[in-house]
Amino acid sequence: MPFRHHAGLPPTTTERPVTSSPTPDLTRLPQWQALRAHHERSGERHLRELFAADPARGERLTAEAAGLYVDYSKQRVDDETLHLLHEVAAACGLEARIAAMFDGRKINVTEDRAVLHTALRAPAHAKVTVDGENVIPAVHAVLERMAAFADKLRGGAWLGHTGKRIRNVVNIGIGGSDLGPVMAYEALRHYSQRELTFRFVSNVDGIDFVEATRDLDPAETLFIVCSKTFTTLETLANAQAARAWCLAALQDEAAVARHFVAVSTNEKEVAKFGIDTANMFGFWDWVGGRYSMDSAIGLSTMLAIGPAGFGDLLAGFHAMDEHFRSAPLERNLPALMGLIGIWNTNFLGAETVAVLPYEQYLKRFPAYLQQLTMESNGKRVTLDGRAVDYATGAIYWGEPGTNGQHSFYQLIHQGTRLIPCDFIGFGQPLAPLPLPDGSDQHDLLMANLMAQGEALAFGKTADEVRAEGVAETLVPHKTFPGNRPSTTILAQRLTPHVLGALVALYEHATFVQGVVWGVDSFDQWGVELGKVLAKRTAAELTSEAEPELGHDSSTNALIRRYRALRDG
Ligand code: F6P
């Protein structure tokens, strides 16, 4: 049985509301002010000094859980910083909020929803209640249906309309209905059934669909239309294109039933689109789009790596969940990472976080984290609607190492901005490639990871540069200030389990930050205005009439110029 887990969740009940009381005024909390005073006293201490003062620091400021080893000793924190951060977290009610999330309370207050991605990876015997109903049996029922479908398709028993075997799977979705699936597919490609081709179409730019399908045979292609709401413009447009592409070749409406499946919470819209709801895999409004890669949205992942592999992925998520809900804050990886992020953002003034996986299979991980972190914590008002007077969500970005080293690392080392980095690496390569001297290219890769963290932390002083005989005019150019913080995350090998733990680590760290900042990390109202304006503008682009007066003069001029360029 693929979906067996070791630990269980205790029975819970649903209560609400979580926050009818005002969110604490963060910067006026005595604990926050204590942290500020601490920063004024010692926030500028150099990592050289911190390491010199504590020779065991590199071993001590580390923590481990769910197969992940996290070294935060190269962050600009000391024991007092960490203690004060924990005090802030306690003052913000972090432990109660963690419990509230796991218990299915409606902590997404602006949408009046529970936030239960953790239930998606809970074992079958767990009990999590939302509105009086235990949701776990439904979660496992969908997993079982997904597994049955995956086994059929992977085994060649699910055939296309003409009787040909399905060899291509195209996932159509955007945001959380794309980034998780594509990231997980790329990350776990090593474990995937190589005879199957996987493609991912997200952009409303037609090129995405055309390029993804140009070399595929419709008779051998299955589309998974993924959309939580099933109302998303891009996804519906691409699904229509897919349907037309499929029917142009197969010439029979009945083909849709063999070549399209849907993943959604919205049965009505799925049926309206013309996909038989017997071919639909459901999930629930208490799963946020950016927290949904372990729901049925992960169907493409399960098709690629199989039900057992998907079970391992869920078990990795669950192991981190259990750690997060039970480990004391001092050893709690998501709490540590989240709180250190608060320190970097709100006290050291960092605006971004660079995520730098030294693992080519994780090439889409930074993009995945962008939605997870920035759609979650890119907020400017608290749960009770007050404007914040402090910075919230950092800008996440990154590329795999070592490529980034030959591109943007210059700015991280010697530029004027402070950019905390998360390095991610593994003990064992999935694709060993021996070098003539008997070592492996993977050793070179990991040597680079370690070198970057060391160079960023300790830099190179002007005196050290001079001691190398460098001409005085070049000394300032060759000096590295150091004191640039980083965290290093190591695991033995990139497996489905480790990927699950890694994603859950960032999910929960994001939540920790949202709790401290007092924002709703689970809504995304900020994406709405653009959607409304795009709908209105789309109608205007295809009409001859003068653009509406409601636009500004720049938008009106752009509409006119676009029409001229298009028609010219
Ligand atoms: O526009 C943002 C968003 O709502 C994301 O939160 C979501 O992941 C994405 O669009 C896709 O939404 P859906 O799965 O409903 O198509």
Side-chain angles (χ1 to χ4, degrees):
M1 275 299 299
F3 306 113
R4 217 173 272 146
H5 299 274
H6 302 299
L9 301 175
T12 57
T13 52
T14 303
E15 296 162 47
R16 56 178 301 268
V18 164
T19 188
S20 49
S21 51
T23 319
D25 199 345
L26 183 62
T27 53
R28 276 168 200 80
L29 287 176
Q31 294 83 348
W32 188 267
Q33 290 174 2
L35 201 49
R36 184 176 291 147
H38 165 70
H39 174 252
E40 277 160 18
R41 273 195 313 275
S42 55
E44 291 308 313
R45 265 191 310 161
H46 200 288
L47 279 165
R48 283 177 175 239
E49 205 185 311
L50 292 173
F51 271 83
D54 176 7
R57 182 182 169 94
E59 301 274 353
R60 217 166 53 74
L61 299 194
T62 63
E64 215 159 334
L68 303 182
Y69 172 84
V70 176
D71 173 359
Y72 55 96
S73 65
K74 294 194 186 83
Q75 291 287 347
R76 285 167 47 177
V77 293
D78 61 17
D79 291 336
E80 193 185 353
T81 324
L82 293 167
H83 169 71
L84 292 171
L85 283 165
H86 291 135
E87 298 270 292
V88 167
C92 295
L94 177 61
E95 294 195 36
R97 300 270 293 153
I98 294 172
M101 178 174 74
F102 278 92
D103 288 355
R105 295 178 67 191
K106 296 194 174 177
I107 64 167
N108 176 356
V109 289
T110 72
E111 296 180 320
D112 193 24
R113 286 176 179 166
V115 174
L116 272 179
H117 39 282
T118 51
L120 297 169
R121 51 257 195 165
H125 61 266
K127 195 168 175 219
V128 182
T129 311
V130 179
D131 292 331
E133 197 194 329
N134 178 16
V135 300
I136 300 297
V139 167
H140 279 263
V142 173
L143 284 170
E144 297 301 337
R145 280 188 62 225
M146 288 165 65
F149 178 70
D151 283 339
K152 252 188 179 171
L153 190 130
R154 288 162 58 88
W158 179 279
L159 300 175
H161 183 62
T162 64
K164 279 187 161 180
R165 190 172 174 160
I166 296 294
R167 297 185 191 284
N168 316 306
V169 176
V170 181
N171 191 85
I172 297 179
I174 196 162
S177 299
D178 167 69
L179 288 161
V182 72
M183 180 278 288
Y185 171 67
E186 292 296 346
L188 302 175
R189 201 182 252 255
H190 175 78
Y191 305 92
S192 69
Q193 184 163 322
R194 299 290 184 155
E195 305 75 47
L196 288 171
T197 295
F198 287 84
R199 301 272 164 84
F200 297 84
V201 175
S202 54
N203 201 333
V204 76
D205 183 340
I207 286 171
D208 208 13
F209 178 80
V210 170
E211 285 294 339
T213 52
R214 66 180 312 127
D215 57 345
L216 304 185
D217 176 357
E220 298 182 340
T221 302
L222 175 88
F223 290 96
I224 307 175
V225 185
C226 278
S227 175
K228 178 175 170 181
T229 56
F230 230 78
T231 57
T232 303
L233 172 93
E234 291 89 337
T235 301
L236 293 188
N238 280 320
Q240 292 291 0
R243 190 188 159 91
W245 180 83
C246 179
L247 293 182
L250 303 180
Q251 297 288 320
D252 185 354
E253 277 284 331
V256 172
R258 305 301 302 170
H259 293 269
F260 283 80
V261 298
V263 179
S264 186
T265 59
N266 193 340
E267 203 168 320
K268 209 167 114 212
E269 289 296 323
V270 169
K272 209 162 110 192
F273 180 83
I275 297 180
D276 186 347
T277 49
N279 294 341
M280 171 181 160
F281 299 89
F283 62 114
W284 305 271
D285 72 359
W286 40 260
V287 182
R290 54 194 175 273
Y291 297 87
S292 67
M293 60 171 276
D294 46 352
S295 71
I297 292 289
L299 182 61
S300 57
T301 314
M302 192 192 273
L303 292 176
I305 65 171
F310 199 76
D312 289 346
L313 176 76
L314 296 186
F317 272 105
H318 182 66
M320 185 56 74
D321 292 345
E322 288 298 287
H323 166 77
F324 180 51
R325 78 185 306 194
S326 61
L329 292 187
E330 299 71 35
R331 283 189 287 109
N332 191 309
L333 297 189
L336 281 164
M337 280 188 59
L339 293 173
I340 289 170
I342 299 270
W343 173 249
N344 289 339
T345 299
N346 298 109
F347 294 90
L348 301 188
E351 302 228 311
T352 84
V353 177
V355 180
L356 308 163
Y358 278 62
E359 169 58 68
Q360 190 64 19
Y361 280 128
L362 286 179
K363 65 181 181 195
R364 295 289 286 162
F365 192 61
Y368 172 79
L369 285 188
Q370 286 186 318
Q371 188 197 14
L372 175 65
T373 60
M374 291 159 76
E375 207 173 63
S376 295
N377 286 337
K379 311 286 163 67
R380 52 175 287 285
V381 295
T382 57
L383 289 162
D384 53 0
R386 263 180 313 108
V388 300
D389 57 358
Y390 43 86
T392 61
I395 300 157
Y396 276 71
W397 59 287
E399 280 288 322
T402 59
N403 292 10
Q405 292 175 203
H406 300 272
S407 158
F408 52 79
Y409 278 41
Q410 164 65 39
L411 185 147
I412 306 181
H413 283 286
Q414 287 188 315
T416 55
R417 296 164 200 279
L418 186 76
I419 302 181
C421 299
D422 287 354
F423 293 104
I424 302 170
F426 297 89
Q428 297 174 1
L430 291 173
L433 208 49
L435 290 164
D437 68 359
S439 66
D440 194 279
Q441 272 193 215
H442 188 255
D443 295 325
L444 287 180
L445 176 72
M446 291 302 290
N448 273 278
L449 176 153
M450 290 172 208
Q452 292 302 324
E454 190 175 357
L456 286 169
F458 303 105
K460 197 171 186 183
T461 64
D463 284 345
E464 285 167 345
V465 176
R466 275 188 204 103
E468 289 174 355
V470 170
E472 198 55 36
T473 50
L474 283 181
V475 168
H477 300 278
K478 293 198 163 193
T479 298
F480 288 70
N483 212 19
R484 298 179 178 219
S486 67
T487 292
T488 301
I489 303 173
L490 295 182
Q492 186 167 49
R493 197 173 158 84
L494 178 55
T495 61
H497 191 283
V498 162
L499 182 69
L502 188 63
V503 173
L505 169 63
Y506 278 95
E507 284 179 348
H508 296 320
T510 301
F511 175 56
V512 167
Q513 296 187 338
V515 170
V516 173
W517 287 323
V519 300
D520 189 332
S521 299
F522 303 104
D523 63 14
Q524 57 283 317
W525 299 107
V527 300
E528 294 305 323
L529 179 60
K531 287 186 190 172
V532 172
L533 294 181
K535 236 181 213 163
R536 173 177 143 198
T537 308
E540 290 175 277
L541 294 185
T542 48
S543 113
E544 302 274 293
E546 268 298 286
E548 271 183 39
L549 288 174
H551 290 299
D552 58 277
S553 60
S554 159
T555 307
N556 279 338
L558 288 169
I559 291 172
R560 286 190 209 99
R561 179 58 66 110
Y562 168 76
R563 286 175 178 166
L565 288 168
R566 180 191 59 195
D567 304 335

